[in-house]
Amino acid sequence: MTHEIAVIPGDGIGQEVTPAAVEVLEALEIDFEFVEADAGDAVKAETGEALPQETYDLAASADATLFGAAGETAADVILPLRTAVDSFVNVRPAKAYPGVDAVRPETDLIFLRENTEGVYAGHEDRLTQDVSTLTRVVTESASERLADFACDYVAGDDHDGFSIVHKANVMRETDGLFRDTVKRVADDNGVETDEVLMDAFATRVCLDPEQFDVIVCPNLAGDVLSDLAAGLVGGLGLLPSANIGPDRALFEPVHGTAPDIAGQGVANPAATIISAAMLLEYLGYDEASEDVHEAVEATLEDGPRTPDLGGDASTEDVTKAIIDRL
């Protein structure tokens, strides 16, 4: 069976790390059809649209999408792309790898972030020159869908349950609904949970990340706290992510366009290649996914490494080393 993979490099180092991930996927000799499309700042400058309709339609129809990064137009690109695949959960692993100088080398976390609402729902208004407002949206249905996914996720792997991270002591109606709904679904499925206020979590995860495993949280909290976890493991260049919908999914590194190094050929492709490994697992190629994970880990441990990890290798050098290990 041929799987159609939409490839959207975007801006900055997205143009360098996304082709690297495609090279790795091609080396596996799986029956993929790669279809490339444009999005981002450069496309907007040329056409007036950051996300052309044909790119949106491709993501909405492809079996999976591999996305790089977008610059100033990020909100105009990634949010609609997540809508295109009906992504209701953002899966963000934050893991420290051997050979990488990590603040907390024992860190091994999975963030399951609600991906459709909260403050990212887009309901902002400027009422007067002095007053602007933002409406936060939390629904029982979206919280249930995330909770169902979380229960399935921890049941299918070596996890004891998950932590619900929220701020229901202040946002009583919105985070209260989120917390109560996730807790109810977990209880109905016999899944153990614990609760942590998001500000307390930010402190506790830095002091002792091993006390956490799988974290289920609202949209903004998941975005911020997973970036905090990136600081524990060696930086955003090591964090992949998956935007999962009921029928298709989009995979992207957590890092941005890195304009300070874009075009120099030294961007770390690890996060994008690990995202590609998550794509493989999503499509059912579990053994190939594990092979890619192992090849990336071995390369991070033994080298070559890009400058962000203290080495002097190029993106191409690291990609070749990973493919050689495959």
Side-chain angles (χ1 to χ4, degrees):
M1 175 183 177
T2 300
H3 291 287
E4 183 180 66
I5 310 298
V7 180
I8 308 172
D11 300 312
I13 63 170
Q15 292 284 333
E16 302 165 56
V17 295
T18 311
V22 171
E23 280 187 57
V24 171
L25 291 174
E26 289 177 331
L28 298 168
E29 298 183 355
I30 297 173
D31 193 9
F32 287 147
E33 178 186 357
F34 297 98
V35 183
E36 187 166 330
D38 295 322
D41 296 356
V43 179
K44 183 175 183 179
E46 182 179 343
T47 68
E49 290 183 301
L51 183 66
Q53 186 64 45
E54 55 267 29
T55 303
Y56 180 96
D57 292 343
L58 174 63
S61 62
D63 295 301
T65 297
L66 187 62
F67 174 68
E72 294 297 323
T73 58
D76 301 318
V77 174
I78 190 57
L79 296 182
L81 284 177
R82 288 172 180 165
T83 300
V85 302
D86 192 18
S87 168
F88 60 89
V89 58
N90 185 210
V91 183
R92 289 190 171 190
K95 177 181 177 180
Y97 295 99
V100 175
D101 185 17
V103 174
R104 290 292 184 186
E106 68 273 28
T107 305
D108 190 358
L109 306 169
I110 303 288
F111 290 86
L112 303 181
R113 165 193 175 197
E114 201 289 316
N115 215 26
T116 65
E117 48 187 33
V119 296
Y120 290 0
H123 302 299
E124 288 190 277
D125 288 294
R126 173 61 67 91
L127 302 184
T128 70
Q129 184 175 352
D130 184 52
V131 179
S132 59
T133 64
L134 171 62
T135 301
R136 186 170 191 260
V137 178
V138 175
T139 65
E140 185 175 28
S141 56
S143 302
E144 280 183 343
R145 192 154 65 153
L146 173 65
D148 285 333
F149 181 93
C151 290
D152 290 341
Y153 189 93
V154 298
D157 210 335
D158 187 23
H159 303 288
D160 294 329
F162 57 79
S163 301
I164 308 170
V165 176
H166 60 81
K167 192 63 176 171
N169 61 326
V170 174
M171 296 179 284
R172 296 172 182 173
E173 292 300 325
T174 50
D175 263 25
L177 176 61
F178 176 85
R179 175 201 59 197
D180 294 346
T181 303
V182 174
K183 177 67 172 153
R184 172 177 55 78
V185 172
D187 288 345
D188 290 346
N189 284 273
V191 174
E192 294 185 10
T193 62
D194 63 284
E195 295 181 40
V196 189
L197 294 176
M198 65 177 70
D199 45 352
F201 176 88
T203 298
R204 290 172 56 186
V205 75
C206 294
L207 296 174
D208 181 17
E210 285 187 297
Q211 66 186 292
F212 300 110
D213 180 18
V214 177
I215 298 100
V216 176
C217 47
N219 203 333
L220 178 61
D223 193 5
V224 173
L225 294 174
S226 61
D227 277 16
L228 182 150
L232 303 180
V233 304
L236 288 172
L238 297 172
L239 261 64
S241 74
N243 300 279
I244 307 294
D247 299 310
R248 47 191 45 86
L250 181 147
F251 302 83
E252 56 172 327
V254 174
H255 65 65
T257 59
D260 56 324
I261 61 168
Q264 298 178 28
V266 295
N268 185 352
T272 314
I273 294 174
I274 300 170
S275 298
M278 296 174 73
L279 180 153
L280 288 165
E281 182 180 8
Y282 171 77
L283 292 176
Y285 298 100
D286 292 356
E287 185 176 347
S289 175
E290 185 61 30
D291 288 344
V292 173
H293 275 293
E294 290 178 358
V296 172
E297 290 191 25
T299 303
L300 289 171
E301 182 173 10
D302 299 330
R305 301 188 189 94
T306 44
D308 62 305
L309 298 180
D312 58 4
S314 67
T315 307
E316 183 179 355
D317 293 336
V318 173
T319 305
K320 182 179 185 302
I322 291 171
I323 291 172
D324 287 345
R325 286 182 167 92
L326 284 172

